[in-house]
Amino acid sequence: MAERFHLVGVGGAGMSAVAELLAARGHEVSGSDQRDSPVLAHLRTVGVTTWVGHDASHVPSEGNLVVSTAVRESNPELVEARRRRLRVLHRSEALVRAAQGRDFVAVAGAHGKTSTSAMLAVALDAAGQDPSYAIGGTVLAHGTGAHLGHGPAFVAEADESDKSFLAYTPRVAVVTNVEPDHLDQHGTEEAFRRSFEDFVARIVPGGLLVAGADDEGSLTLARHAQSSGTRVVTYGATRTAPDGVEAHVEVVPTGGGSAAAGRLLRHGAGDALEADLTLRVGGRHMLLNAAAAWAAGLELGVDSDAMARGLETFTGTGRRFEHRGDAAGVRVVDDYAHHPTEVEATLAAAREQAGVGRVLVLFQPHLYSRTQAFAERFGAALGGADEVVVTDVYAAREDPVPGVDGSLVTHAMTGAGRYVPDRLEAARAVADLARPGDLVLTVGAGDVTELGPVILERLRGREERA
């Protein structure tokens, strides 16, 4: 039966995916966002009514209002929905409605979940499974982050930041790592880890947990799940499986550079399996993500070689080491990394691809709470670059915190780091540092993604004057 849904902040990656899926299932869907964007333009083409700006008049007289944690109680549309006593759903609850009747596959973790879930969706599609998926980023091979397929699997990127992944009851749960983050929402590291235990407890009877073995947090989670009777498959660079798990996928890198190549060896669970693959994306972390997707695909009944060949068709996701252009002999890449571990992995991949060139970074910290908590670690992670320009904090859902700005990161650096508060000036500053053969990255989860064109324009102007 068709229902009415209105989504507040529909232009966001997660919300737009839910809107598109609900519309594909035949529901009447509308949404609003602060500004117009290509995302809103795309939603209009698939039957979603959109408005620019938030206003009580946008709220339907009946139906459901869908929000994310970023929507404040003072939002006029939320205020009006509560006045009318409409049902208010979190984004994750609306996604469950869109996934009804499918085998839910939830991919969680402090980092790596977007790429891993996208890899799994692409590989399943290449293997003829036509999966449904909802991913917080554009799957470049498909040009969208959402699709309602005819196959049995529904692949979703599961958000741990606000515990919304506890709305899901997955047949397969993938946990890439359990590295504490979002402490502004969880309060303590122990509470953060406990939310993952609660998530794993929601796996359906007979379902599977696929857990990274190289991260102590997810390895501990795997042991906890196994002791509670949940089936567990682990993966990682380590050779031996933890005691009691059903199987372990060993990741053996065989090449690097612009593409990651390796061998996947599954020990246990009956007959041993193996697959060789060469990804179109670089970095050891991408090979590990592929191993997680491969293990999940096997559980869903896909042949080992078919999964490996499907993974080789993956070309990346938007804002994950995404090439933005070249000018004056300089390559410009954009990446969503916003946690120290992610920054470190991104710079390691950049170093492989830069060759003899230098790696330059324009970094925008995301959230005041995260900047305050991880400034020292960000400073250390950015040491993997040759030159770093740090701009001011992207606030997102938070109010400013006195004394917390991008200079906390540069003060923690031992290498070349410069704090430029204005984002446009920061973009021009990093462009002026670049030389032919260099690789420049814009890094962060905020609007730093808009600065790649600014850097390229500056570089082209310099090229024309030369």
Side-chain angles (χ1 to χ4, degrees):
M1 180 179 176
E3 294 186 69
R4 179 77 167 85
F5 293 89
H6 178 77
L7 291 80
V8 183
V10 74
M15 292 289 271
S16 61
V18 173
E20 186 167 350
L21 289 165
L22 289 170
R25 295 211 71 152
H27 298 296
E28 185 181 354
V29 183
S30 63
S32 62
D33 209 275
Q34 287 280 31
R35 58 179 179 173
D36 206 355
S37 67
V39 174
L40 264 62
H42 169 71
L43 289 174
R44 290 190 283 269
T45 68
V46 297
V48 177
T49 301
T50 64
W51 287 281
V52 177
H54 300 302
D55 192 279
S57 64
H58 300 154
V59 179
S61 58
E62 58 183 9
N64 308 278
L65 190 87
V66 182
V67 298
S68 70
T69 306
V71 177
R72 301 193 179 196
E73 283 293 329
S74 59
N75 181 282
E77 295 180 7
L78 180 54
V79 169
E80 179 65 11
R82 296 209 187 281
R83 188 188 71 79
R84 295 185 184 182
R85 300 190 178 183
L86 299 184
R87 183 187 295 111
V88 177
L89 301 174
H90 187 274
R91 176 185 63 196
S92 59
E93 295 172 307
L95 184 61
V96 169
R97 302 281 191 96
Q100 195 169 12
R102 304 295 205 277
D103 289 332
F104 205 90
V105 182
V107 182
H111 26 267
K113 55 184 174 285
T114 301
S115 294
T116 302
S117 53
M119 280 181 170
L120 179 55
V122 167
L124 290 174
D125 186 64
Q129 299 294 303
D130 190 21
S132 302
Y133 57 84
I135 294 162
T138 302
V139 181
L140 298 182
H142 297 168
T144 182
H147 171 69
L148 186 67
H150 294 93
F154 190 108
V155 180
E157 179 179 349
D159 187 6
E160 81 288 344
S161 67
D162 56 1
K163 301 184 183 180
S164 59
F165 62 172
L166 298 182
Y168 309 138
T169 52
R171 174 187 165 187
V172 180
V174 178
V175 175
T176 57
N177 47 70
V178 185
E179 188 170 353
D181 194 5
H182 309 291
L183 299 186
D184 60 313
Q185 297 287 324
H186 290 266
T188 66
E189 293 187 7
E190 177 57 33
F192 180 83
R193 295 188 180 96
R194 193 163 51 247
S195 70
F196 275 88
E197 293 178 1
D198 294 340
F199 168 63
V200 168
R202 295 183 61 80
I203 296 174
V204 300
L208 179 73
L209 169 65
V210 178
D214 294 350
D215 172 72
E216 187 58 38
S218 57
L219 184 56
T220 299
L221 180 69
R223 291 175 176 137
H224 171 82
Q226 190 275 332
S227 68
S228 301
T230 302
R231 296 170 51 228
V232 177
V233 170
T234 54
Y235 68 93
T238 179
R239 168 167 284 184
T240 57
D243 292 339
V245 303
E246 182 174 297
H248 176 70
V249 177
E250 178 188 354
V251 182
V252 183
T254 57
S258 60
R263 177 171 298 161
L264 307 179
L265 306 164
R266 189 177 75 158
H267 312 295
D271 295 335
L273 294 173
E274 67 177 85
D276 291 304
L277 73 159
T278 300
L279 301 176
R280 300 189 191 184
V281 291
R284 174 182 174 276
H285 61 300
M286 285 298 187
L287 197 58
L288 289 166
N289 293 339
W294 185 69
L298 298 183
E299 174 66 13
L300 295 170
V302 181
D303 175 76
S304 168
D305 287 337
M307 273 303 296
R309 301 294 77 79
L311 288 166
E312 290 181 344
T313 69
F314 177 73
T315 55
T317 57
R319 299 227 54 214
R320 273 68 179 181
F321 217 87
E322 183 180 4
H323 179 68
R324 301 303 300 273
D326 298 270
V330 177
R331 181 183 177 194
V332 178
V333 171
D334 183 47
D335 197 272
Y336 192 74
H338 56 284
H339 183 280
T341 301
E342 295 170 350
V343 172
E344 187 175 10
T346 296
L347 294 189
R351 184 64 68 187
E352 287 183 354
Q353 296 201 22
V356 297
R358 300 180 305 158
V359 174
L360 281 63
V361 175
L362 170 56
F363 177 63
Q364 181 187 53
H366 184 262
L367 298 178
Y368 293 99
S369 58
R370 183 182 287 122
T371 304
Q372 190 171 36
F374 295 132
E376 293 290 333
R377 291 186 57 195
F378 277 127
L382 289 166
D386 295 287
E387 297 277 359
V388 178
V389 176
V390 178
T391 193
D392 220 346
V393 177
Y394 185 80
R397 61 181 180 267
E398 295 184 340
D399 294 322
V401 176
V404 177
D405 57 33
S407 68
L408 290 182
V409 176
T410 54
H411 289 158
M413 293 181 62
T414 56
R418 177 179 168 194
Y419 173 51
V420 181
D422 183 89
R423 52 197 282 277
L424 293 177
E425 290 184 13
R428 298 178 186 118
V430 77
D432 292 343
L433 290 169
R435 303 194 296 250
D438 289 348
L439 173 61
V440 174
L441 295 114
T442 54
V443 178
D447 57 9
V448 68
T449 186
E450 300 171 359
L451 299 181
V454 177
I455 295 170
L456 289 165
E457 181 182 6
R458 184 80 163 190
L459 291 169
R460 292 188 188 108
R462 189 175 75 193
E463 193 174 30
E464 291 169 0
R465 291 191 300 270

